Amino acid sequence: QTVSSLVRALSGRNPVLIVEDAEHLDIESIGAIAAARSRSPFTILATSRRGRPQAAAVGLMTKRIRPIWRINMEPMRFDALHSFVHELLPGVVDSNTVARLATASGGLPSLVRSLVAAARDDGRLVTENEQWRIDGPLYSPLMAESMRPLIEVLDDEQFIGLSKLAMMGSMMIGEAERNIGFDVLNALDDYGLLQVSHGIDGPVVSVFPPIVGDFLRDENGATRVLFLRSELDHSGLPMDWATSRRDEVLSQPSVLSSRIWEHWHAEAATLAEAWRAEPTPEHAVPLLAALHATAASDKEMRTIVERTKMDGSNTYWRIRLGMWLAIQRAVNGADLAGAIKLVEEMAVAAGSTDSLIDTAVGHLRFLEDRVPDWEAIDKTDQDPFTQEVQTLLEVECKLAEGMVDDALDLLKDYDPEEHGYADHAPIYYGLALLLSGRLEEGVAWAQRQLVLAEEKLLPGQMQAHGYVAAFGLALQGRYGEVDRIASTVLTLTGVSTLYEHFLSGLLVLSAISSSWTGRTDYAHKLADQALPFGKLGPFPCMLSSVAPALVCGRGPEAAHEVWQAAEDRLDRGYVASAIFLAAGAVELGPDPQRAAKINKAAQRTQSELLRSLGFYAWASSTMDIDAMRASIVDLDRTNTSIHVLRAKVRLAMALRSKGELQASSKAADEAWSSMDIPEEVRRSIFGPLVEAVDLSPRELEIANLLTQGAVPAEIAIELDVSVRTVESHVSNIYRKVGVSSRSRLKAIMATWLSPAVA
């Protein structure tokens, strides 16, 4: 009877039987499905949890029914999650809020939806600077019912085991096995509630998705929490978090972000105890750094600063705290004058030398205003700390000015004791390698440093090295790898003031990458998210205030905005940034006068890459054919494939603008076939040339029919027009494209003119 009922229900056209939670089917049900399918074939879509507990049931079904495909459903990629969040919250969502949602949900769309709904219902969803932001913790008791289905499959022992892991955060696999048990861990893994990553000392297990940990900490009553903590305390477990695997493949982003937050939350709690016992700058500075990594509020950090006692404290730490406060005021408060006054007052009170004060002020100016006059800075102080600070400032200035050989010479023997400067030296070394044209070496260096920063759970350094690696990869057109790095780093929830400009650069690079690969909406959202950073950073692609114009803009207005920004960067001494801006601005519209000014500065740099890009911006602005051909030769030596292709397309456009249509078509053919760049990127780069060809919809229709083998008489019948009209269109098509035969037209429409067909 059951079999007959199934056959009748599935007798329509292309029937599909959907079987949810197939592992719960009994043998009789599986037999009925198999028997029905033998009588009347139909498609079966079965879902089941992976793993050993359901292997027998699922195995029997697959043996009897013989499926064609098995699909493992992975969590959403960051770009897909980013788009989903913006579907839930139309407009622009704050980048840190997207990162927090990605981290907490583990990329599961149902959890993202629940997190947003709960934040809206209890008033934590607010708008600031025209962007959506979630205030306070992400987990809310309102989410409890949507979380329960994830754990309802657990028995008591498994629930307690997962709760222990939630209390701990992450554990080395050996410790987890001793305290939770292998069978329980294996079951939790089968249910998809664990994430395992491989650390230096062995595998590390974490609760997945991370928000489940918050739910369990909230769901367990006070008595059970005390009991679980007591068990963990007696186990002798170290209350810290293990490092991630040592290779060039980053961890699952949401789990990594959660582990970083857990680590620095625990670190901040320990440092806060020391600071409360002795509220001196020596204890305040590391506490503030830890709080930054947990995305603590400005109010919380201001409270610590206000209650820190300066009198009688160590001079070195007073200076450190003064510098931290000054950078905070300059970057987050946009008050450079106030920041300079603050650092001068605190440094004088601490007995600092004029040399150190000048250097500190120079660094503030470098971050927020312009490259300082290095020669005017007092360098008389022989104190090792002052010399470390001065060397790093000189490196920053040289890099911004494009004097990369000088920067590399300074970094060669630079080994500072102060950890803040020691942390920045590898960042600048990688950037110097890239700007000097050593792209492969620079990318490899930055990727290694990125993994080391991950091992140490240092979000600021991950943001900085992520920017450097993405910058080098983008220069090579390796946009898939840019996405991989951006997806990981943009998921991190802590944004340090010291590294904020690197994060803005990574956002812009990710937006540019997304634009070139055809993900226009995602690119626009990323560019809009960069806006709250509110300024242009000192190095290339740190273009937050003009990101929308550069990535999404079109026409004279956008071109003017980006050219104006390029000239401003140049006038402030940020030569490398100005050159890259000019190379982007010329795509929006030429400005020969500004291009000439920037090219002149580019030729004075120590970088063949910067000199080539400056020359390209000028040649493309003037549309000088000979200069543009020379520019292509120059760029080809730098191995920056994206810029080479852009230059070749600009040459084809220049030839077209001068009426040399056949030469333009030939140049476009050569450009399309010469570069080993993904087709979707090539299609984006050829977009302006396709627009310049300007085939009308009717002409495109006729061109398609021609390339399919139709003759004018057949086309006339198909379109219900006269043969003379078709012949007139054919003549226009050949003239506009710059061809004289159907075979050439067919080849071009399959290659560089294909964006018009799409």
Side-chain angles (χ1 to χ4, degrees):
Q1 186 177 355
T2 303
V3 174
S4 298
S5 297
L6 274 174
V7 171
R8 284 195 300 273
L10 295 164
S11 60
R13 184 180 179 185
N14 298 323
V16 178
L17 175 66
I18 299 176
V19 182
E20 287 195 81
D21 299 323
E23 68 272 15
H24 296 313
L25 288 179
D26 54 30
I27 293 176
E28 290 78 7
S29 298
I30 292 173
I33 293 171
R37 195 165 186 263
S38 67
R39 293 191 195 177
S40 176
F42 50 82
T43 300
I44 299 176
L45 173 61
T47 66
S48 66
R49 291 179 180 269
R50 64 177 179 83
R52 196 172 62 186
Q54 57 274 6
V58 176
L60 179 59
M61 174 177 276
T62 56
K63 182 178 180 180
R64 295 295 301 274
I65 298 174
R66 297 182 181 178
I68 299 175
W69 294 298
R70 172 178 173 172
I71 301 173
N72 292 318
M73 299 299 291
E74 300 294 336
M76 285 191 293
R77 285 166 43 101
F78 182 79
D79 55 350
L81 185 141
H82 191 282
S83 297
F84 182 61
V85 170
H86 282 84
E87 288 176 14
L88 297 174
L89 297 170
V92 180
V93 184
D94 164 63
S95 60
N96 194 50
T97 295
V98 176
R100 294 177 69 202
L101 289 168
T103 295
S105 69
L108 302 183
S110 60
L111 288 184
V112 175
R113 191 186 298 277
S114 296
L115 287 162
V116 170
R120 178 184 282 115
D121 290 345
D122 61 17
R124 290 175 294 117
L125 184 64
V126 298
T127 55
E128 183 178 297
N129 297 325
E130 299 182 353
Q131 297 199 0
W132 292 104
R133 178 171 55 80
I134 295 179
D135 275 342
L138 276 187
Y139 179 74
S140 164
L142 294 175
M143 293 186 62
E145 292 310 311
S146 62
M147 302 291 292
R148 292 188 198 284
L150 293 171
I151 62 165
E152 64 184 5
V153 294
L154 304 181
D155 61 26
D156 287 344
E157 188 180 12
Q158 293 161 358
F159 180 82
I160 290 173
L162 191 64
S163 297
K164 283 183 179 181
L165 191 57
M167 296 297 116
M168 185 64 184
S170 300
M171 290 187 193
M172 299 299 298
I173 190 68
E175 300 290 0
E177 183 181 353
R178 281 191 290 274
N179 286 275
I180 297 174
F182 174 78
D183 290 340
V184 172
L185 285 174
N186 198 37
L188 293 174
D189 189 31
D190 288 333
Y191 289 133
L193 292 168
L194 293 186
Q195 178 74 32
V196 181
S197 56
H198 297 281
I200 300 170
D201 300 317
V204 180
V205 292
S206 310
V207 175
F208 182 85
I211 194 68
V212 171
D214 295 313
F215 166 66
L216 290 170
R217 288 187 286 271
D218 182 79
E219 181 74 5
N220 282 296
T223 302
R224 177 174 274 179
V225 168
L226 288 173
F227 169 74
L228 292 172
R229 286 195 178 279
S230 175
E231 279 205 342
L232 290 170
D233 288 342
H234 285 103
S235 72
L237 281 173
M239 293 300 287
D240 59 6
W241 287 267
T243 56
S244 59
R245 58 186 179 274
R246 184 192 293 271
D247 56 32
E248 293 192 7
V249 180
L250 297 170
S251 299
Q252 207 279 344
S254 63
V255 173
L256 172 61
S257 181
S258 181
R259 287 177 56 204
I260 288 174
W261 185 90
E262 290 168 352
H263 170 76
W264 287 104
H265 185 77
E267 188 77 6
T270 302
L271 293 168
E273 287 183 15
W275 174 79
R276 280 192 289 269
E278 193 177 351
T280 62
E282 185 173 357
H283 291 122
V285 170
L287 173 57
L288 291 167
L291 287 171
H292 256 300
T294 66
S297 68
D298 287 341
K299 181 180 179 181
E300 187 176 355
M301 289 186 279
R302 278 199 306 272
T303 300
I304 292 167
V305 172
E306 290 166 0
R307 294 180 182 177
T308 297
K309 296 177 181 178
M310 300 291 183
D311 296 340
S313 59
N314 180 283
T315 298
Y316 168 80
W317 287 105
R318 288 173 69 180
I319 295 169
R320 285 284 311 277
L321 181 59
M323 276 299 299
W324 189 90
L325 290 173
I327 292 172
Q328 185 83 0
R329 179 173 293 185
V331 175
N332 291 355
D335 180 11
L336 179 59
I340 290 173
K341 183 178 179 182
L342 176 64
V343 77
E344 289 174 342
E345 289 173 351
M346 294 194 73
V348 169
S352 302
T353 63
D354 289 342
S355 186
L356 182 57
I357 293 172
D358 287 349
T359 306
V361 169
H363 179 66
L364 289 174
R365 291 195 186 281
F366 177 81
L367 286 178
E368 292 297 301
D369 182 36
R370 64 185 63 250
V371 175
D373 182 358
W374 172 251
E375 299 304 324
I377 292 176
D378 182 0
K379 306 180 188 67
T380 57
D381 192 345
Q382 297 302 305
D383 173 67
F385 173 66
T386 302
Q387 290 182 340
E388 286 180 3
V389 177
Q390 288 189 332
T391 299
L392 197 70
L393 175 60
E394 187 176 3
V395 169
E396 290 176 328
C397 294
K398 295 295 185 184
L399 282 175
E401 293 171 334
M403 310 308 286
V404 292
D405 293 342
D406 292 346
L408 285 168
D409 284 344
L410 288 166
L411 288 166
K412 185 170 55 178
D413 300 317
Y414 186 57
D415 186 23
E417 293 185 10
E418 211 291 313
H419 72 88
Y421 304 108
D423 290 344
H424 273 70
I427 299 166
Y428 292 148
Y429 181 70
L431 186 56
L433 289 175
L434 295 181
L435 292 177
S436 67
R438 295 153 66 180
L439 299 185
E440 291 289 349
E441 189 179 350
V443 167
W445 170 268
Q447 288 178 322
R448 285 195 299 272
Q449 297 302 315
L450 179 57
V451 172
L452 289 172
E454 180 195 344
E455 289 178 353
K456 298 173 184 176
L457 302 177
L458 297 171
Q461 288 188 49
M462 285 191 67
Q463 288 158 354
H465 291 299
Y467 155 78
V468 176
F471 179 40
L473 291 167
L475 287 172
Q476 296 174 301
R478 295 158 63 182
Y479 290 129
E481 293 169 81
V482 172
D483 281 348
R484 181 180 65 85
I485 288 172
S487 294
T488 297
V489 177
L490 293 178
T491 304
L492 304 181
T493 57
V495 182
S496 170
T497 301
L498 288 173
Y499 298 96
E500 184 180 283
H501 50 293
F502 292 111
L503 182 60
S504 75
L506 184 59
L507 265 173
V508 174
L509 283 165
S510 184
I512 293 170
S513 168
S514 301
S515 177
W516 284 129
T517 51
R519 293 168 296 160
T520 307
D521 186 62
Y522 181 46
H524 289 195
K525 288 292 192 296
L526 288 171
D528 287 341
Q529 282 182 326
L531 274 175
F533 290 100
K535 52 190 173 292
L536 303 179
F539 299 119
C541 300
M542 297 176 179
L543 318 169
S544 55
S545 64
V546 296
L550 182 67
V551 176
C552 325
R554 296 173 69 87
E557 187 175 339
H560 174 72
E561 183 178 349
V562 179
W563 275 113
Q564 192 173 45
E567 187 175 36
D568 175 77
R569 295 287 88 189
L570 184 66
D571 292 343
R572 294 174 184 272
Y574 304 117
V575 178
S577 179
I579 293 167
F580 275 91
L581 263 172
V586 77
E587 299 288 322
L588 299 172
D591 190 325
Q593 186 174 351
R594 283 180 169 136
K597 181 179 177 181
I598 290 171
N599 181 41
K600 186 176 180 181
Q603 301 315 311
R604 294 195 294 263
T605 69
Q606 297 171 341
S607 163
E608 183 179 14
L609 171 60
L610 294 176
R611 292 193 297 269
S612 297
L613 283 175
F615 183 52
Y616 159 71
W618 172 78
S620 293
S621 280
T622 59
M623 290 293 205
D624 182 305
I625 301 298
D626 291 337
M628 292 181 77
R629 287 195 169 108
S631 170
I632 291 169
V633 174
D634 279 355
L635 285 169
D636 206 30
R637 287 196 292 264
T638 68
N639 296 316
T640 55
S641 56
I642 288 296
H643 290 295
V644 175
L645 182 57
R646 290 167 71 184
K648 288 182 175 182
V649 172
R650 292 288 297 174
L651 172 62
M653 292 177 67
L655 289 165
R656 175 167 294 275
S657 71
K658 296 181 184 302
E660 300 181 35
L661 302 185
Q662 290 192 355
S664 172
S665 178
K666 185 177 179 182
D669 285 345
E670 192 277 331
W672 181 272
S673 61
S674 66
M675 308 305 298
D676 184 20
I677 292 173
E679 186 167 333
E680 68 272 15
V681 178
R682 280 185 286 171
R683 288 164 67 93
S684 294
I685 292 174
F686 273 82
L689 178 59
V690 172
E691 288 184 16
V693 172
D694 193 28
L695 291 180
S696 69
R698 177 63 88 183
E699 287 167 345
L700 273 174
E701 193 175 15
I702 291 172
N704 272 319
L705 291 170
L706 278 173
T707 58
Q708 291 168 18
V711 298
E714 293 170 331
I715 295 171
I717 295 171
E718 171 79 16
L719 302 180
D720 194 22
V721 296
S722 70
V723 174
R724 179 174 294 182
T725 298
V726 173
E727 289 174 342
S728 176
H729 280 309
V730 170
S731 177
N732 285 335
I733 292 166
Y734 282 4
R735 178 182 55 81
K736 286 183 177 182
V737 178
V739 298
S740 57
S741 69
R742 181 184 302 189
S743 60
R744 282 278 290 127
L745 177 64
K746 184 177 182 178
I748 287 172
M749 290 192 69
T751 55
W752 62 265
L753 199 56
S754 59
V757 181

